[in-house]
Amino acid sequence: MSDDETMEIEEDEWTGLSIQQGAEVPVSERLAPYQTLNSTEGYVFKTDYETRLRRFLCIGTDGGTYYTGERDLTRENAGCIVRMINNGDGLKVVETIREFSVENKACKANPIMFALALSCRSNDPTTKEAGYKILSDVCRIPTHLFQFVKYCQEMNPYGKGWGRAHRKGVSTWYQNYNKKKEGILMLAHHVTKYKARFGFSHQDVFRLCHIKTTYDALGYLVSYICRGKAATENQWKMSWAMRDEGFEQSELKKVIDLLKVFEDAQKCTNEEQMKRMILEHHLAREHVPTGLLKSKEVWGALMRHMPMTAMIRNLGKMSSLGLLESDSFGEQITTEKLKNEQLLKAGRIHPFTLLVAIKAYSKGKGELGKLEWQVNRRVVDALQEAFYLSFKHVKPTGKRYLLAVDVSGSMNVPVMGTPIITARDAAAAMMMVTVRTEQNYDVVAFAGGLNSLTKLAISPQDNITAVLEKCSRLRFAATDCSAPIVDAIQNKKLYDVFVVYTDSETNYGSVHPSQALKNYRHISGVKDARLIVCGMASNGFTIADPEDPCMMDIVGFDSGAPGAIHQFVTGTI
């Protein structure tokens, strides 16, 4: 818990204005030096196009709201991109797209692919050329490429739009694998793992982009995908007759052999044979025929090289097959991985992801379908240990926080976007993230009398059970989203970030939260004070002013929301 001395300021440092005085400042007067005059002669916090671009790339909208559910992306909700390109800032758009993709700043891939497609489909030749140049950096797997192709095609109102630049750009994406060590082997893995997405297959894309190849590893792979093995071998007979002594060690030979492995895998009906192929060639689940995906032996082989995120997601499946029985090898390898700090860090596993996994696995059955399993207590314990270990790898922001949580009975409802946990569990987990990673914070609850706040004594030593128990003891009050800000003004407290956690019943009292935040900035001198309202069980509300770059709504809550919050607090968006 932060020391009161670090959060309070002296009387002579405070402007001395009351909340009533602050609320009376008309919009026709400037509250802060960086406000701008809008079309109705009122002063507002200006959100420039670049800020809107960064918001769009991170959360999928250029306003101030992160939506859990999938929403259609259109030119209208990415208008900032079009305006920047039209204003001659197309290269800045492309640079920012690459930054958000390569540095993993985006919550979801969709906005990144949409923005890149919009850039490549622009009428500005410089922007278009720059967009296609970063295609391989941004579209790292075929799924991304297929989504990019889909967006490009939807944006052309006059037809499918496979012009020269587009054909060359997409062809180059495949050809760039040649620049990597054993890159065509990697491409062979990718095209057989991600065969088709978004209505496109590799065969479709090869045909549409008119890819040009020679008698090399890439050429063989393209021919194999488009024409099949028999036709390819027949076409390549003359080339093979001219093999040199180095053919046996060439990438072409390795690609031919690997494609034979994938063919054999698809035809395989023997568990032991499939297991050997997985272990020898690191085959993915997608390479395994459906009939063998119920095999304990096959999953036992898959789990040895399974990435952390995939392992956590498939704990129920592996338990249902008996792979995680007490004192088994599967139990040992799984619990060791979950307790490995370096693997958690390398996998960028957020505490919220592990909380969801704990809740899902502990139920002993899936949300959909008929999958059931015997819960292994040691795996649950390892997940809980991983949950607390993962806090060490959340980067602190160094900001001053006031966290305000709804403690009403309505918080015991499923989270929109992650229905396996409740809004109260999600709120407790997210409060713990801040308490365990930040130095300066206060926590209050909407509890006591009408529109009142009660201080919550939460420490880094508390676990989630203790946090929930402290919240359950309180008599709840209405969730007035402006109350924490008003309280900070009245008690002369300095904060950089106000966060409200509620279910869906967001409200405000005598002053709107946006106005309360403006008052706070003016009175306290914290000119970029931010407000985040998380309506975790909501499917739609609006608190944030879209023209204010320092206000954000979270509608629903999923594994991408913590990342959006971090990017917002640190000023990235």
Side-chain angles (χ1 to χ4, degrees):
M1 181 68 64
S2 60
D3 193 307
D4 284 345
E5 292 182 359
T6 66
M7 305 295 286
E8 291 183 357
I9 62 175
E10 297 297 328
E11 183 71 30
D12 58 358
E13 293 176 329
W14 196 264
T15 65
L17 293 176
S18 68
I19 179 60
Q20 288 81 12
Q21 290 173 309
E24 292 172 355
V25 176
V27 294
S28 59
E29 295 182 17
R30 194 189 298 269
L31 275 175
Y34 53 89
Q35 282 189 307
T36 185
L37 196 64
N38 66 14
S39 59
T40 61
E41 302 301 316
Y43 283 97
V44 296
F45 289 88
K46 181 181 178 182
T47 306
D48 57 44
Y49 291 149
E50 187 175 344
T51 299
R52 288 186 177 274
L53 167 65
R54 299 175 79 84
R55 280 181 175 180
F56 179 82
L57 296 176
C58 181
I59 63 178
T61 173
D62 65 357
T65 304
Y66 172 82
Y67 294 97
T68 296
E70 295 295 333
R71 292 180 173 249
D72 290 337
L73 299 178
T74 66
R75 287 177 179 268
E76 285 68 32
N77 61 22
C80 54
I81 298 175
V82 176
R83 294 186 186 96
M84 286 185 70
I85 294 173
N86 291 342
N87 290 342
D89 291 325
L91 289 180
K92 181 65 177 177
V93 170
V94 174
E95 290 169 5
T96 308
I97 291 170
R98 186 183 183 281
E99 172 197 337
F100 270 72
S101 177
V102 173
E103 297 182 17
N104 200 35
K105 292 182 178 179
C107 299
K108 300 174 183 177
N110 305 34
I112 294 286
M113 303 308 150
F114 185 87
L116 182 58
L118 200 55
S119 300
C120 292
R121 276 294 194 247
S122 73
N123 294 323
D124 178 50
T126 304
T127 302
K128 181 179 293 190
E129 182 182 1
Y132 282 117
K133 279 184 178 178
I134 68 165
L135 189 59
S136 293
D137 296 331
V138 175
C139 299
R140 290 182 289 277
I141 57 175
T143 299
H144 296 158
L145 179 69
F146 289 142
Q147 190 171 32
F148 166 78
V149 167
K150 169 181 174 284
Y151 282 139
C152 284
Q153 192 152 302
E154 289 176 350
M155 284 176 192
N156 192 328
Y158 306 110
K160 295 185 177 179
W162 283 80
R164 181 183 299 175
H166 193 54
R167 293 198 306 271
K168 180 182 177 182
V170 175
S171 295
T172 301
W173 184 88
Y174 287 100
Q175 292 161 349
N176 279 343
Y177 275 85
N178 267 320
K179 298 178 180 179
K180 305 171 185 176
K181 184 180 180 181
E182 296 192 330
I184 306 305
L185 281 172
M186 184 190 305
L187 180 59
H189 263 281
H190 282 177
V191 299
T192 52
K193 179 179 179 179
Y194 311 99
K195 292 182 178 180
R197 298 287 193 279
F198 302 103
F200 289 93
S201 68
H202 292 284
Q203 187 177 19
D204 297 329
V205 175
F206 287 147
R207 174 176 53 82
L208 291 165
C209 74
H210 303 171
I211 189 169
K212 302 292 190 299
T213 60
T214 60
Y215 284 100
D216 60 3
L218 177 60
Y220 183 89
L221 182 59
V222 171
S223 179
Y224 180 93
I225 294 295
C226 292
R227 305 178 49 158
K229 181 179 180 180
T232 298
E233 288 185 347
N234 186 55
Q235 177 188 356
W236 282 55
K237 280 181 180 177
M238 182 173 292
S239 172
W240 290 358
M242 299 169 64
R243 297 174 186 170
D244 56 29
E245 294 180 357
F247 176 76
E248 290 299 319
Q249 302 300 320
S250 69
E251 189 170 30
L252 172 57
K253 177 64 165 59
K254 293 177 182 178
V255 168
I256 293 170
D257 292 343
L258 186 58
L259 290 173
K260 178 67 166 58
V261 171
F262 295 145
E263 281 183 358
D264 292 342
Q266 286 299 305
K267 298 173 185 175
C268 183
T269 57
N270 182 278
E271 295 180 8
E272 282 298 324
Q273 185 182 354
M274 189 74 250
K275 176 181 176 180
R276 286 196 298 272
M277 284 192 285
I278 291 170
L279 293 176
E280 183 178 351
H281 301 285
H282 291 190
L283 302 187
R285 182 181 60 82
E286 290 81 358
H287 293 123
V288 179
T290 305
L292 290 179
L293 284 176
K294 295 180 181 179
S295 165
K296 179 178 179 179
E297 293 295 322
V298 169
W299 274 93
L302 288 171
M303 74 183 298
R304 290 174 180 261
H305 304 291
M306 198 175 288
M308 282 292 288
T309 301
M311 186 194 76
I312 292 169
R313 188 171 58 245
N314 286 292
L315 287 174
K317 176 66 177 179
M318 292 188 293
S319 286
S320 73
L321 295 170
L323 278 168
L324 301 184
E325 291 179 347
S326 181
D327 298 322
S328 66
F329 173 74
E331 177 196 72
Q332 179 185 348
I333 192 173
T334 299
T335 54
E336 286 179 357
K337 276 185 165 184
L338 287 171
K339 295 177 182 179
N340 189 312
E341 287 189 43
Q342 295 308 311
L343 288 179
L344 290 169
K345 182 178 182 180
R348 297 179 179 180
I349 308 299
H350 193 276
F352 186 78
T353 300
L354 288 161
L355 175 64
V356 174
I358 293 168
K359 295 290 184 179
Y361 181 73
S362 298
K363 288 187 69 174
K365 62 179 182 179
E367 286 295 300
L368 303 173
K370 299 179 181 179
L371 189 66
E372 295 185 357
W373 58 86
Q374 187 70 36
V375 177
N376 184 322
R377 193 63 238 174
R378 289 176 184 169
V379 172
V380 174
D381 291 343
L383 280 169
Q384 290 177 339
E385 185 170 340
F387 174 67
Y388 295 113
L389 284 173
S390 63
F391 286 97
K392 296 181 180 180
H393 309 306
V394 177
K395 292 183 179 179
T397 65
K399 304 295 184 180
R400 298 164 294 188
Y401 288 80
L402 177 60
L403 310 178
V405 60
D406 181 349
V407 294
S408 66
S410 62
M411 288 285 282
N412 197 31
V413 294
V415 167
M416 188 75 66
T418 312
I420 197 70
I421 65 172
T422 64
R424 63 196 291 269
D425 291 334
M430 292 311 299
M431 284 192 296
M432 285 183 65
V433 171
T434 302
V435 169
R436 289 192 174 211
T437 58
E438 302 293 346
Q439 294 296 316
N440 298 313
Y441 60 86
D442 285 323
V443 185
V444 296
F446 295 99
L450 181 65
N451 294 333
S452 62
L453 299 173
T454 298
K455 191 169 185 178
L456 263 177
I458 296 178
S459 73
Q461 287 71 44
D462 285 332
N463 57 31
I464 196 165
T465 303
V467 173
L468 291 172
E469 184 179 341
K470 290 178 181 180
C471 291
S472 66
R473 296 174 187 164
L474 302 174
R475 182 168 61 91
F476 68 86
T479 306
D480 176 357
C481 294
S482 62
I485 306 171
V486 174
D487 184 77
I489 294 175
Q490 293 174 339
N491 290 292
K492 301 176 182 177
K493 291 271 192 170
L494 286 180
Y495 300 107
D496 301 299
V497 187
F498 298 90
V499 187
V500 175
Y501 295 107
T502 182
D503 52 345
S504 60
E505 298 300 321
T506 55
N507 202 345
Y508 56 89
S510 59
V511 58
H512 192 280
S514 62
Q515 182 61 51
L517 189 63
K518 292 173 184 177
N519 295 342
Y520 182 79
R521 291 168 178 154
H522 178 57
I523 295 169
S524 69
V526 184
K527 299 301 183 183
D528 60 348
R530 298 169 186 267
L531 170 64
I532 305 168
V533 178
C534 301
M536 294 177 289
S538 176
N539 59 7
F541 69 91
T542 302
I543 296 293
D545 178 355
E547 294 300 322
D548 190 332
C550 296
M551 295 185 71
M552 184 179 191
D553 293 333
I554 305 288
V555 175
F557 209 88
D558 62 11
S559 58
I565 291 172
H566 188 274
Q567 302 283 22
F568 174 72
V569 170
T570 55
T572 302
I573 60 171

